Amino acid sequence: MHLFPIGQKLRVWTLLAALGLLSVCRFGYCEASRTSSPTSGGRKEDHGPSSLERVKRGWVWNQFFVVEEYTGTEPLYVGKIHTDSDEGEGNIKYTISGEGAGSIFIIDELTGDIHATERLDREEKAFYTLRAQARNRLSDDPLEPESEFVIKVQDINDSEPKFLEGPYIGSVAELSPIGKARVISNTAIAVIHRLAVADLDRETQDRYELVVKATDMAGQMGGLSGSTTVTIVITDVNDNPPRFPQKMYQFSVSEGAAVGTPVGHVIATDADMGENTDMTYLIKDGGELFKVTTDVETQEAVVSIKKPLDFETRRTHNVVVEAVNKHVDPRFVDLGSFRDQTIVRVSVSDVDEPPTFKPPEGTIMEVQEDAKVGALVGVVSASDPDVKNKSVRFSIDRATDQEMIFYIDPDSGAITLGKNLDRETAGWHNITVKAVEADNQTMASHSPVSIRILDVNDNPPELATPYEASICEDAKPGQVIHTISVVDRDEPLAGHHFIFTLDPEASSNRRFTLGDVTDNTAGIRMEGAGFNRHEQNVYFLPILVVDSGPPSLSSTGTLTIHVCGCDTEGAIQSCNATAYVMSAALSPGALIALLVCMLILIVLVLLILTLKRHRKGQRIAEDEEDMRDNVIKYNDEGGGEQDTQAYDMSALRNLYEFPEAKSCDSGPDIRSLPQWIQANRLSVGGGRAGAEGAAATAAAVAADFSLFKGYIRKKVEQADADLSVPPYDSFQTYAFEGTSSPALSLSSIHTLSTTSEQDFSYLSDWGPRFRQLAGYYAPGKPEEEGS
């Protein structure tokens, strides 16, 4: 099969005839007429056994070419395919498949002519790969293996150059020198602009727009071109100083405006932009009463009050405000000063103001504590600061003087005493004085007045505490046994100085002397030989204390000295009953406090006694119902958990009470008596009964009880004489068997003899534990002995 490009159809047939219908092999070698060929699936089909016979191959491989951008109305002829087996009888059917087959490219089944039905664009797709097939029209069997061919789209100059990322923006700083370059680059273009003129001024023109053109074919005839816009932005530099639009601004503010109140806003303009416009404001003149701050958002200067204004003192103020650039470029300092000034004139308006005190911070006054009622303490001064100078009235804020100790003259402001003073009660009085305008009570002001009460010596010195001292009987003469001090509620300017002496009542005392020590204290010294506390164990020493005045005041306090017994090292061991004598100069308040305390103690004692009596009555009622107490029994053998048992006290009370004989024939029930009494009764009475046996038993019991009572009496006397026993009633038990045990000895030493006459049959009455033991000592029967 042959491929015939456009315009070569006739020449191809001529060439084939000249070559004797030789075909060109696809890969440079020939194969049998039936060989394996690639299929659409990439596999090779076996068309029969291979043969060494050389046959003619019908394919001629040529590429088809078609020009892009064809604008004709008819389909564009691309080429022709033909097979050698086609004899022109119409038995062959030609088909194509692959990219664009049936849509972009169509084929005439009879002739094999291929046409393009659409306009092709090489820039979108440069070539198409298709496959050709020749089949029998009747059987649809392939006559030759399917073959692949390529249709290439030939390029024409139909696309102009394009800027992919336009428009473009560049920048250059103003005032840049000539020739300075700024490079603009991207994936499609690299443009270098050079400054052609100097002294570009951003404030005059801040940007320039250029049109850049690109032409292909090196600018020759027939070439295409594209263009884009490049914007050159002139960046700012700090080449302009701040400027105030006005050289003077005028504002008005009331004299009553508080400190910090804004007076007005002024702003300086700067032709630059960005941080080059940042500026700060200063006060060059007039900054005593005003200050200026910079608003960082608006770049305004805020003029505010720094100190209170006074219309009566000055009504107009001129403040010089200066604006300065923050970021000054040293390259442009020669252009001039980058600062500017303006004048802010502030007019102060008058308002009705309350009276003002002199001094404004308050007044301190002094007065003697012994000043009489009505005496002058001091004078406060206040006036109306307005031009009209209205009259002022004074008063005392009674919330600060509720006791009404002071009065003030409403016209003159003179403060006088309304009550007597006592510095020891209150050394300072802080009051508030109010001043108002006479015809406008809303115009009021207040001022603190502190009144100091000066001290007068009107309190005598007193002993600091009701002193007591203790000394040993064998104290040595000249020994300081105590040091005393005093207190004085007064506060003389020169300080305290006290004189200590023994009261004239103690002039006959030869045991003690008194002498000043230091720091307004005095020492008590012992004179003469030692003491005997059995003769006198307490000494009362009255001491007279005098202050330095003026006038001098005195008081007498009593020092109580106890004589005690001491060991060899001087440590006090014991003292006899001591008498506490308090100072005679007790105040009524102290006496009342003592009486109240005593009354409280009496009430508490009565309450405790009442509660005890109530509980005792309840306990007696409980005892009548149940006479049972807890008695602790201790057993030397140990009882474990049975060591503590409860007993009926009635059994203890009736322990030794014997029941009377119900008849002369029967005596007391021996089982109700202790076992040692039972044994005595049995031994004394023997087998006798009746009155004779009872008399014998009573005699034996009386003898044993006399011994037991003597033992108990001795123990009671010992307990009464023992100081270590508890100071309350207690129940004690004593274990005492008497002179001998009725059971005699159970030792095996005496039981070895077979001739013992003791009868141990009573052991069986002691319980199950002793029955086996009683059997061991039971007398043997004659027949057993004989055996």
Side-chain angles (χ1 to χ4, degrees):
M1 184 164 54
H2 306 278
L3 304 176
F4 300 99
I6 300 174
Q8 297 182 357
K9 186 175 182 180
L10 296 178
R11 287 179 291 177
V12 169
W13 285 110
T14 304
L15 179 61
L16 290 175
L19 293 176
L21 300 176
L22 294 177
S23 60
V24 180
C25 297
R26 182 177 183 182
F27 295 101
Y29 64 90
C30 297
E31 298 179 354
S33 59
R34 294 185 179 271
T35 58
S36 298
S37 62
T39 63
S40 60
R43 297 173 298 166
K44 294 184 179 181
E45 296 180 357
D46 190 2
H47 297 279
S50 61
S51 176
L52 298 176
E53 180 183 0
R54 296 177 61 87
V55 297
K56 177 180 66 179
R57 181 174 177 81
W59 290 105
V60 176
W61 288 101
N62 290 318
Q63 292 183 344
F64 291 92
F65 296 92
V66 61
V67 180
E68 67 171 339
E69 303 297 341
Y70 172 70
T71 58
T73 58
E74 297 295 329
L76 178 63
Y77 181 76
V78 176
K80 182 182 182 65
I81 61 176
H82 183 74
T83 179
D84 295 340
S85 59
D86 187 359
E87 297 178 356
E89 297 177 355
N91 296 328
I92 306 301
K93 180 177 68 173
Y94 297 97
T95 61
I96 60 174
S97 62
E99 296 179 337
S103 57
I104 300 177
F105 303 102
I106 59 175
I107 187 171
D108 191 330
E109 294 181 351
L110 294 177
T111 63
D113 294 334
I114 300 174
H115 292 80
T117 62
E118 296 182 7
R119 181 179 178 180
L120 302 179
D121 187 357
R122 189 196 64 82
E123 285 73 27
E124 293 183 0
K125 189 171 181 60
F127 63 91
Y128 296 86
T129 301
L130 295 94
R131 292 180 297 277
Q133 179 72 61
R135 295 177 178 272
N136 188 296
R137 181 175 296 276
L138 297 178
S139 63
D140 200 37
D141 293 331
L143 300 178
E144 296 181 5
E146 187 179 55
S147 182
E148 187 177 90
F149 65 96
V150 176
I151 299 177
K152 288 188 175 181
V153 182
Q154 290 185 330
D155 182 45
I156 63 174
N157 190 15
D158 60 340
S159 299
E160 69 277 3
K162 292 183 178 179
F163 295 91
L164 301 181
E165 298 181 1
Y168 300 93
I169 299 177
S171 64
V172 62
E174 62 177 330
L175 300 181
S176 296
I178 296 176
K180 184 174 182 180
R182 182 73 173 182
V183 179
I184 305 172
S185 63
N186 51 65
T187 57
I189 183 173
V191 182
I192 299 178
H193 296 282
R194 295 188 177 274
L195 189 62
V197 295
D199 300 332
L200 289 179
D201 188 6
R202 187 201 64 81
E203 288 73 30
T204 303
Q205 185 173 353
D206 62 349
R207 67 183 57 221
Y208 295 87
E209 292 188 356
L210 306 177
V211 177
V212 179
K213 183 178 180 181
T215 304
D216 60 6
M217 296 181 63
Q220 298 179 5
M221 293 292 293
L224 301 178
S225 63
S227 63
T228 187
T229 301
V230 178
T231 301
I232 306 298
V233 177
I234 309 301
T235 58
D236 184 59
V237 296
N238 193 8
D239 60 339
N240 293 281
R243 290 288 182 265
F244 284 103
Q246 301 175 213
K247 290 302 180 182
M248 178 177 289
Y249 297 85
Q250 292 188 353
F251 301 102
S252 178
V253 64
S254 171
E255 65 172 334
V259 173
T261 302
V263 175
H265 297 248
V266 297
I267 186 171
T269 60
D270 192 327
D272 297 321
M273 62 181 301
E275 66 175 11
N276 294 327
T277 62
D278 293 345
M279 64 187 72
T280 183
Y281 296 92
L282 307 172
I283 291 183
K284 301 297 292 183
D285 190 16
E288 298 83 8
L289 300 178
F290 301 92
K291 65 178 180 179
V292 63
T293 56
T294 304
D295 189 330
V296 295
E297 298 294 335
T298 63
Q299 292 294 308
E300 289 182 315
V302 182
V303 181
S304 56
I305 299 174
K306 183 178 179 180
K307 291 183 179 180
L309 304 177
D310 186 12
F311 172 81
E312 289 73 24
T313 303
R314 188 174 179 181
R315 303 183 180 184
T316 303
H317 301 271
N318 292 326
V319 182
V320 178
V321 179
E322 183 178 68
V324 181
N325 264 141
K326 283 186 178 181
H327 312 288
V328 177
D329 195 332
R331 297 176 299 173
F332 308 111
V333 292
D334 55 345
L335 297 180
S337 176
F338 285 82
R339 60 183 62 214
D340 193 20
Q341 293 182 352
T342 188
I343 297 175
V344 177
R345 176 168 294 178
V346 182
S347 299
V348 181
S349 59
D350 187 26
V351 295
D352 192 3
E353 300 175 88
T356 57
F357 284 90
K358 295 180 182 179
E361 63 275 4
T363 306
I364 298 178
M365 301 179 181
E366 295 180 346
V367 61
Q368 295 269 351
E369 67 173 320
D370 60 349
K372 303 299 181 182
V373 174
L376 178 64
V377 178
V379 180
V380 295
S381 176
S383 60
D384 183 10
D386 298 324
V387 178
K388 298 180 180 179
N389 194 16
K390 300 176 183 178
S391 57
V392 177
R393 297 291 182 267
F394 299 95
S395 62
I396 294 178
D397 185 358
R398 287 305 170 187
T400 62
D401 185 23
Q402 297 181 357
E403 298 180 2
M404 302 182 68
I405 300 175
F406 303 97
Y407 289 96
I408 188 171
D409 186 280
D411 297 321
S412 64
I415 299 176
T416 57
L417 281 179
K419 291 183 179 180
N420 292 324
L421 301 174
D422 183 12
R423 189 203 64 82
E424 288 70 34
T425 302
W428 285 85
H429 292 274
N430 297 313
I431 63 175
T432 300
V433 176
K434 179 181 179 181
V436 299
E437 292 183 3
D439 57 351
N440 188 357
Q441 298 294 323
T442 60
M443 291 292 102
S445 58
H446 300 78
S447 178
V449 177
S450 299
I451 301 174
R452 179 182 180 184
I453 311 303
L454 300 179
D455 183 48
V456 174
N457 192 24
D458 56 349
N459 292 279
E462 299 176 354
L463 291 180
T465 57
Y467 277 100
E468 289 188 67
S470 298
I471 61 174
C472 297
E473 287 183 301
D474 56 352
K476 297 179 181 180
Q479 179 181 351
V480 177
I481 63 173
H482 203 72
T483 301
I484 60 174
S485 61
V486 297
V487 293
D488 194 335
R489 297 174 63 190
D490 296 321
E491 292 183 359
L493 297 177
H496 289 291
H497 179 68
F498 303 106
I499 301 174
F500 299 87
T501 59
L502 292 177
D503 190 87
E505 298 179 0
S507 59
S508 59
N509 172 60
R510 300 183 181 277
R511 287 285 190 178
F512 306 98
T513 59
L514 183 66
D516 289 345
V517 184
T518 56
D519 299 330
N520 291 323
T521 60
I524 307 297
R525 296 179 182 273
M526 189 191 75
E527 300 292 340
F531 298 90
N532 188 346
R533 58 176 172 149
H534 298 289
E535 296 179 358
Q536 184 175 355
N537 64 333
V538 179
Y539 292 88
F540 302 104
L541 191 62
I543 299 175
L544 177 65
V545 184
V546 182
D547 62 14
S548 56
S552 297
L553 300 178
S554 63
S555 66
T556 301
T558 301
L559 177 65
T560 303
I561 303 175
H562 301 277
V563 180
C564 304
C566 303
D567 58 12
T568 56
E569 296 180 356
I572 296 176
Q573 297 295 323
S574 62
C575 301
N576 289 339
T578 57
Y580 297 92
V581 179
M582 300 181 62
S583 175
L586 287 178
S587 62
L591 292 176
I592 293 174
L594 289 176
L595 292 176
V596 171
C597 292
M598 293 176 63
L599 181 60
I600 293 174
L601 290 175
I602 293 172
V603 172
L604 290 176
V605 170
L606 292 177
L607 181 60
I608 292 172
L609 291 177
T610 303
L611 292 175
K612 284 187 175 181
R613 181 172 300 176
H614 179 66
R615 292 179 180 176
K616 185 175 181 181
Q618 291 181 348
R619 189 178 299 111
I620 292 174
E622 293 175 356
D623 293 343
E624 292 176 355
E625 296 176 0
D626 188 4
M627 295 296 295
R628 181 166 299 186
D629 294 328
N630 288 330
V631 179
I632 299 175
K633 175 184 177 182
Y634 295 95
N635 191 339
D636 292 340
E637 296 180 358
E641 297 179 354
Q642 300 176 355
D643 191 52
T644 302
Q645 300 177 359
Y647 290 90
D648 189 353
M649 294 299 295
S650 61
L652 295 177
R653 294 191 182 95
N654 300 326
L655 182 62
Y656 306 119
E657 295 180 1
F658 305 104
E660 297 178 354
K662 296 183 180 178
S663 64
C664 58
D665 296 334
S666 63
D669 187 1
I670 192 171
R671 290 175 298 176
S672 64
L673 300 176
Q675 293 177 1
W676 61 276
I677 298 179
Q678 299 174 20
N680 287 338
R681 183 172 182 179
L682 291 174
S683 63
V684 176
R688 292 177 296 172
E692 184 180 357
T697 301
V701 171
D704 288 331
F705 266 109
S706 63
L707 179 62
F708 193 40
K709 290 180 179 179
Y711 175 78
I712 295 297
R713 187 182 302 107
K714 183 179 179 181
K715 289 293 184 178
V716 171
E717 291 176 357
Q718 291 178 358
D720 292 340
D722 190 359
L723 299 179
S724 63
V725 299
Y728 46 79
D729 294 339
S730 62
F731 181 79
Q732 301 184 18
T733 61
Y734 302 96
F736 181 67
E737 296 183 354
T739 56
S740 63
S741 173
L744 299 181
S745 175
L746 298 179
S747 174
S748 61
I749 298 177
H750 299 288
T751 58
L752 294 177
S753 176
T754 58
T755 60
S756 175
E757 297 178 355
Q758 297 182 8
D759 185 7
F760 295 100
S761 60
Y762 64 87
L763 291 176
S764 60
D765 297 333
W766 288 8
R769 297 181 181 181
F770 294 91
R771 288 176 183 174
Q772 187 175 1
L773 182 63
Y776 292 153
Y777 292 92
K781 296 181 181 180
E783 58 272 12
E784 294 177 357
E785 295 177 358
S787 64

